């Protein structure tokens, strides 16, 4: 199983961190989790294409996880996709997916007629509401949705992925989630969001101390995420969804290492974890992921 971080940012714009997106690839499945801003560029940048993705999974109804959905559909069609897109998402996201397709229906019809491509099947989308506890199987990949706590945005899901004897957990956006800790116990890799509180001072005209507190309260803080990894007993931790996207890396790593003794990686767009080989790569950077 390979886990590729395609977008490690948040709504605040960063030239280095795209919107939320993670790819899980196995011998017979490729699943994209979320489709935040820049996901299609990152797919191509990491040697993949939307056309080859078997399914899209959406964690929750927040724009930074969804805004490039239609670009994903069109670009994948241009890459030769000739099969419909299964979209597994919370019931609250179904109207957004179906509504997006409806809003752009005339645009699509013109493209189909004018561009004369071999198949229009890649432009079809089927929605499948996620239910907590009901597993999804795609190829050799077993996916367990876990209801996490991102209220007032509900439902929101994290996921446990199992294939080839390996386990990866993707938190989605959540407060510290006991159900996720329980479901992911003993994982090989935990990909978890993080809110770096000390890097988020109030700024007059932009955000008040109350705004920062409210946003922090439905995420997992940097002084909590190491405890989550330790409680889960994951072998390695990759941080993603950085709020804010620029921060003191050494301070963050030191903070997390206080609670979690295993390897911790500051996620970057394009960083790939190979759970079969037990290594991690990003550009020229190579390291052992698992001992
Ligand atoms: Zn988010
Ligand atoms: Zn969110």
């Amino acid at each position: 199983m390979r886990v590729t971080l395609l977008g490690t940012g948040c709504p605040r714009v960063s030239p280095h961190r795209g919107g939320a997106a993670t790819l899980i690839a196995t011998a017979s499945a490729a699943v994209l989790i979320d489709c935040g801003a820049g996901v299609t560029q990152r797919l191509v940048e990491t040697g993949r294409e939307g056309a080859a993705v078997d399914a899209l999974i959406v964690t929750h109804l927040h724009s930074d996880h969804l805004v490039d959905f239609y670009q994903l559909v069109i670009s994948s069609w241009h890459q030769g996709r000739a099969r419909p897109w299964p979209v597994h998402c919370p019931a609250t996201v179904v109207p957004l997916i179906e509504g997006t397709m409806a809003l752009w229906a005339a645009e699509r019809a013109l493209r189909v007629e004018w561009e004369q491509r071999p198949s229009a099947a890649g432009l079809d989308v089927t929605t499948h509401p996620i239910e907590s506890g009901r597993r999804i199987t795609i190829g050799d990949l077993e996916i367990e949705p876990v209801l996490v706590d991102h209220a007032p945005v509900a439902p929101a899901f994290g996921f446990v992925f199992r294939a080839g004897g390996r386990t990866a957990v993707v938190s989605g956006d959540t407060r510290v989630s006991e159900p996720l800790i329980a479901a992911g116990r003993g994982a090989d890799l935990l990909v978890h969001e993080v809110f770096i509180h000390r890097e988020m001072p109030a700024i007059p005209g932009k955000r008040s101390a109350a705004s920062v507190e409210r946003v922090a309260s439905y995420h997992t803080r940097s002084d909590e995420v190491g405890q989550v990894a330790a409680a889960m007993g994951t072998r390695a931790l990759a941080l993603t969804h950085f709020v804010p996207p620029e921060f003191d890396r050494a301070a963050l790593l030191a903070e997390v290492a206080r609670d979690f003794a295993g390897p911790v990686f500051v996620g970057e767009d394009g960083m790939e974890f190979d759970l079969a080989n037990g290594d991690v790569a990003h550009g020229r950077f190579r390291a052992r992921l698992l001992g």
Side-chain angles (χ1 to χ4, degrees), residues 120-132:
L123 296 174
D124 290 337
V125 170
T126 58
T127 51
H128 309 270
I130 296 169
E131 287 174 29
S132 180

Side-chain angles (χ1 to χ4, degrees), residues 11 59-65 150 153 156 172-174 193 218-219 241:
T59 56
H60 66 292
L61 182 55
H62 255 162
S63 61
D64 52 316
H65 298 251
H150 194 42
V153 182
D173 285 12
T174 184
E193 67 123 284
Y218 67 4
H219 288 293
H241 198 283

Side-chain angles (χ1 to χ4, degrees), residues 222 225-227 237 250-262 264:
S222 49
V225 72
Q227 295 168 29
L237 170 63
L252 175 62
L253 286 169
E255 185 174 28
V256 176
R258 281 203 288 270
D259 297 310
F260 179 63
V264 181

